[in-house]
Amino acid sequence: MKLKKFAFLLALSAIWSLQSCDNNDDESLNVPVELQNALSSKYPNVTNVKWESKAGYYVADFYDQYEISAWFTQDGIWKMTETDIPLSALPQEIQYSFENSEYYLTWKVDDVDKLERDGFEIIYVIEVEKQNQEVDLHYSANGTLIKSIVDTDNDEDEYLPVQLTEAIKNFIYKNYSNALIMEVDIENDRNDKYYGYTEVDIIHNRIHKEILFDSNENWYSTSWEVHKNELPEAVRNVIEKQYKEYNLDDAEYIEKANDTKYYRIDLELGETDLTVNIDSDGNVIP
């Protein structure tokens, strides 16, 4: 009986040790000199630093007006800094955009983060919640809502940047000069038709655009939102004549690698939603 009890305790100890390796905030964490030098180089005035390991990275937690976490690779390369800021510290453009969003009056702000990441523009994330729902709102510094993501987990490394290949970066900078790269996502749902595709969010000529690349890094499509008054007259005429009983909910312009170009129009009538694709000449296409 004692032998069984000892074996059980030994197994528990092994499990605890494995879990500790994934997320170690022990004060005895052995931090290489290269990492400490990298932190001092980027943040020369910080003190009282607490190191921990998360998802294979070394994370330096410290306080400098706000709570800050700086993420480094094991060889001392900085990848991300996450700063926990109050809502009032957001740029005015973001505050204005959020206050005019559907989330402002009925959702509660749970957290606000400023994200600085290697190779990307600064992103601000407002985490809102309502009952059992949580949504992360990603904004650019000029107040553009880049995306809203339903938060279904609490992955601590969810904001780490996905590194773009040279082929994708070259395509973006060649075709969208002076573009600002904001976000990168790779579809990992095997049931999704775009599994393995890479989506890159950019700001180009002050317009938020989504660029999609297939699993072989070939350009697949680019899309961006357009306002009703920006739609070609031929497109507006089709909507007003053929779908006059519907309300226009959303519209975006899409161009694909197969040279297809059209406007995707989202319409609604009560509880009924309808999506229609119309080219610039007013032709409804499948």
Side-chain angles (χ1 to χ4, degrees):
M1 184 69 178
K2 290 183 178 179
L3 185 59
K4 290 183 178 179
K5 183 176 181 181
F6 175 76
F8 174 71
L9 292 174
L10 187 62
L12 281 180
S13 176
I15 293 173
W16 180 86
S17 298
L18 288 173
Q19 291 175 335
S20 297
C21 290
D22 289 335
N23 191 350
N24 187 350
D25 58 359
D26 194 327
E27 293 182 359
S28 63
L29 180 66
N30 184 23
V31 180
V33 174
E34 293 81 3
L35 279 168
Q36 299 185 42
N37 291 339
L39 176 66
S40 298
S41 176
K42 190 166 184 64
Y43 300 100
N45 299 319
V46 301
T47 58
N48 299 322
V49 178
K50 179 181 178 182
W51 287 92
E52 56 184 328
S53 61
K54 293 180 180 179
Y57 291 82
Y58 282 86
V59 182
D61 298 317
F62 54 92
Y63 188 87
D64 185 9
Q65 188 177 3
Y66 304 116
E67 293 182 0
I68 300 175
S69 295
W71 293 60
F72 295 86
T73 62
Q74 296 183 13
D75 51 355
I77 299 176
W78 172 80
K79 285 299 178 183
M80 176 177 75
T81 296
E82 181 178 357
T83 305
D84 192 356
I85 64 175
L87 189 66
S88 59
L90 285 170
Q92 287 296 321
E93 294 85 351
I94 298 178
Q95 294 188 44
Y96 177 81
S97 181
F98 175 62
E99 289 170 2
N100 286 276
S101 73
E102 61 182 292
Y103 299 96
Y104 182 66
L105 294 177
T106 57
W107 292 66
K108 176 185 176 183
V109 175
D110 180 52
D111 193 23
V112 180
D113 292 311
K114 175 184 178 182
L115 300 180
E116 302 167 85
R117 297 173 296 176
D118 182 28
F120 292 77
E121 296 298 312
I122 295 175
I123 285 285
Y124 295 84
V125 181
I126 303 177
E127 300 177 17
V128 295
E129 60 182 9
K130 182 170 67 173
Q131 297 177 351
N132 295 325
Q133 304 175 74
E134 295 184 5
V135 176
D136 295 344
L137 307 174
H138 293 225
Y139 286 93
S140 66
N142 68 359
T144 300
L145 178 62
I146 302 299
K147 62 178 59 181
S148 57
I149 303 175
V150 176
D151 192 352
T152 57
D153 52 46
N154 291 311
D155 290 342
E156 295 172 318
D157 60 343
E158 62 181 329
Y159 297 141
L160 282 169
V162 176
Q163 297 303 312
L164 286 176
T165 64
E166 288 301 315
I168 290 180
K169 285 194 290 187
N170 289 339
F171 177 90
I172 292 174
Y173 292 132
K174 178 181 178 181
N175 293 277
Y176 305 95
S177 59
N178 300 317
L180 304 177
I181 297 176
M182 310 302 297
E183 293 274 18
V184 177
D185 288 307
I186 298 178
E187 181 56 61
N188 56 14
D189 183 355
R190 292 183 177 274
N191 296 318
D192 194 291
K193 64 179 292 187
Y194 297 115
Y195 171 72
Y197 281 43
T198 299
E199 179 186 294
V200 184
D201 292 275
I202 67 170
I203 299 294
H204 177 241
N205 294 336
R206 300 186 63 83
I207 299 173
H208 168 224
K209 298 181 179 181
E210 295 180 358
I211 310 176
L212 196 62
F213 296 87
D214 66 21
S215 55
N216 294 317
E217 302 179 4
N218 298 311
W219 174 63
Y220 179 80
S221 68
T222 300
S223 62
W224 60 90
E225 185 178 344
V226 296
H227 298 290
K228 182 178 180 179
N229 59 3
E230 297 173 327
L231 292 171
E233 183 178 356
V235 175
R236 294 200 304 270
N237 288 338
V238 171
I239 297 173
E240 293 168 1
K241 292 179 180 179
Q242 298 186 31
Y243 307 96
K244 59 182 179 181
E245 67 273 22
Y246 285 84
N247 293 317
L248 177 61
D249 181 47
D250 197 12
E252 61 179 335
Y253 180 71
I254 301 174
E255 50 187 17
K256 293 186 174 181
N258 62 7
D259 206 31
T260 303
K261 300 177 182 179
Y262 58 93
Y263 293 86
R264 175 171 292 167
I265 311 297
D266 292 329
L267 305 167
E268 58 182 9
L269 177 62
E271 298 297 322
T272 302
D273 295 326
L274 178 66
T275 298
V276 182
N277 298 325
I278 309 173
D279 67 20
S280 58
D281 294 323
N283 300 307
V284 178
I285 59 178

